[in-house]
Amino acid sequence: MFGLFKKKSEDFLPVLKGKVVSIEEVPDVVFSQKMLGDGFAIEPENGIVVAPVDGVIAQIFPTNHAFGIVTDSGLEILVHIGIDTVDLKGQGFERFVEVDQKVKAGTPIIKFDLAFVRANAKSVMTPVVVTNKEKVKSMHVNYGVNPEIAATVEINN
Amino acid sequence: MIHAFFSTLQVAGYEIHLNRIEKVTEEGETVVGKIGISEVARGYYHAIGGKENIVEVDSCITRLRLTLKDASIVDEAACKRLGAAGLIKPNNKNVQIVVGTHAELIAEEIKKFK
C-alpha cells in the first residue's frame, strides 16, 4: 500500500436487499438525530447483511447484531441490524467473518432471521452510519428500493 | 485542530475535576485517545453515581445501557465532557449514554470499579 492515491469518495452498497430510507426515519434517537454521524437506513427484505464497502472488520458485537468496518480511505462505518436488537442476546444472528478480517464490498458479514427479529425486536430497520464525521465532506443517498449504490460519501483528506 | 487538556483527576474524595477539557470536535474517541479507556470509564463511573447508584451496567455497540437506583443524579455535563454524544433517559431507573464505538470496552472497565 503506497498511499500515493487517497480515495476521494466511497460508494456504499446497500447492506441488505430492501428499501433505502432516510436515517431520520429510524425509531431510535441515536440514529435519527445523527448523534454518531450521518448515514442511511434500510427496511430489509432479506436477512443477509453484506459489507457496504471494501474494508477491515473493526468490531463485531458479541451478539452479532452490529459491526464496524473501516475503509483504507479512513471511513469508520457502523452497521446496526434492527433496533434494540442487543436485547435478543444473539438469538437469530450468525456471523460469517471475524474481527480484523479484510472484506470486499458485498461480502456476507452476518445472517439473521428476519421473521424472528421482526417479531421480537423494536424494529428491523438497519442504519448504516459513518461515525468519524470529520472525514465526511458530503454524503449523497439514493433513496428507494434496491438501488445499486445506496450512498456516495465524499471524503475529507 | 483537536485540543483536549485534561487536568486534575482527584480520586481521593471521589471527585473528578475535568478542568479545561476543551473539545473542538464532538468525538468521544478524541477523549478516549487523550486519556485512555480506563480514565474515561472512571469518569463515567463517578458521573453516574458510583457503586451506590449502579444496579447494572450493560452496553450496545455505541452506548452504555445503565440501570440505576436514581437516574436523575447523573451528571450530564460531565458525560458530555467525557465525549458522550448524548444521554437518553427512558425513565427514572434507566439511562443510556451514547459514548461511541468504545462502549463495550468502557462498560467492561466500569464493571471493574463496581
Side-chain angles (χ1 to χ4, degrees), chain A:
Chain A
M1 204 62 63
F2 288 99
L4 288 174
F5 174 58
K6 272 253 163 173
K7 257 180 124 166
K8 293 282 202 280
S9 72
E10 288 279 359
D11 284 339
F12 286 47
L13 297 184
V15 296
L16 285 158
K17 286 198 167 68
K19 187 176 177 196
V20 174
V21 300
S22 169
I23 197 151
E24 292 169 19
E25 293 188 31
V26 178
D28 183 324
V29 294
V30 172
F31 299 108
S32 64
Q33 288 183 23
K34 306 185 187 181
M35 284 189 190
L36 296 164
D38 202 356
F40 57 92
I42 309 237
E43 286 175 5
E45 286 167 13
N46 76 338
I48 309 264
V49 185
V50 304
V53 291
D54 292 349
V56 176
I57 301 292
Q59 62 169 318
I60 309 178
F61 208 72
T63 46
N64 296 327
H65 74 285
F67 67 93
I69 181 171
V70 177
T71 65
D72 281 351
S73 54
L75 294 181
E76 292 167 19
I77 299 158
L78 170 68
V79 180
H80 193 289
I81 304 165
I83 299 302
D84 285 351
T85 33
V86 67
D87 292 334
L88 299 176
K89 301 195 195 299
Q91 201 181 345
F93 291 84
E94 191 190 319
R95 68 172 74 177
F96 294 128
V97 299
E98 286 306 327
V99 174
D100 292 336
Q101 194 169 325
K102 263 185 110 158
V103 295
K104 288 257 163 220
T107 305
I109 307 295
I110 287 169
K111 177 168 113 167
F112 71 99
D113 185 333
L114 181 59
F116 176 76
V117 176
R118 204 190 288 279
N120 291 286
K122 184 172 184 186
S123 170
V124 289
M125 204 182 285
T126 293
V128 177
V129 178
V130 180
T131 53
N132 52 347
K133 308 176 197 185
E134 72 281 1
K135 283 296 253 181
V136 177
K137 194 172 184 172
S138 71
M139 184 181 301
H140 175 81
V141 181
N142 298 316
Y143 298 109
V145 178
N146 290 322
E148 213 175 293
I149 301 292
T152 301
V153 172
E154 270 186 64
I155 302 169
N156 281 326
N157 273 317

